[in-house]
Amino acid sequence: EPEVTQTPSHQVTQMGQEVILRCVPISNHLYFYWYRQILGQKVEFLVSFYNNEISEKSEIFDDQFSVERPDGSNFTLKIRSTKLEDSAMYFCASSYRMGGELFFGEGSRLTVL
Amino acid sequence: AQSVTQLDSQVPVFEEAPVELRCNYSSSVSVYLFWYVQYPNQGLQLLLKYLSGSTLVKGINGFEAEFNKSQTSFHLRKPSVHISDTAEYFCAVSDRNAGGTSYGKLTFGQGTILTVHP
């Protein structure tokens, strides 16, 4: 069964460092999302992406964050200069069509020291 | 703006017992409703969704949920649970009237950990 894959599963980084989280959505999907879950808190929407541009972003998604689909298969989330409060589980999701089911990856746990 | 409240952070239950996981939402607009499940070390998997039509929706693994508009609730039920149902369950909503990718902009509850004991 096709699935969304995310790498790395866990990354530890120092505050101020850049981090790139990678996602491979299901191959024929067109809509892409990033969510995050800080430990003990709710899963929160970060950004949606369609047709090679951001469709919508939350207030969390500030200038430190960026997304890219560099090669037609990967979908990346970059955090330019990590802060302690960026420590969270980051989930990638994709769907085939508008209104279609979201398929989530297993998540990438980011720990900022 | 929308919010989702899952009233129980943890629900312990014995195998073969019935279970109900509660979800209430608040929204100024009409919403779609979802339940997701997360098994240990796995991603979020859609259990069921309410988009329109019958207010009782059936999902995978024997789960069902009922949309109650007057009580703004979408409680998840299963008549007889198995050990394998042990997981975290998330209720979520999205704006029914939003277009495009906003359908996938979900607002989640804080999750309910269901633990099924033998």
Side-chain angles (χ1 to χ4, degrees), chain A residues 36-38 40-44, chain B residues 3-5 90 108-111:
Chain A
R36 78 170 185 191
Q37 184 181 28
I38 295 172
Q41 298 185 26
K42 298 184 180 185
V43 177
E44 304 170 289
Chain B
S3 68
V4 178
T5 302
F90 295 91
F108 282 87
Q110 56 267 62

Side-chain angles (χ1 to χ4, degrees), chain A residues 31 33 35 37 42-43 45 48 50 55-56 91 98-102 104-106, chain B residues 4 36 38 41-44 46 90 99-106 108-110:
Chain A
Y31 300 86
Y33 305 83
Y35 284 79
Q37 184 181 28
K42 298 184 180 185
V43 177
F45 167 81
S48 59
Y50 170 69
S55 303
E56 192 169 356
F91 292 102
M98 188 174 69
E101 176 184 344
L102 284 190
F104 283 84
E106 294 181 4
Chain B
V4 178
Y36 282 84
Q38 185 179 29
N41 301 314
Q42 295 187 28
L44 297 164
L46 182 66
F90 295 91
T101 56
S102 289
Y103 175 88
K105 181 186 174 186
L106 302 175
F108 282 87
Q110 56 267 62

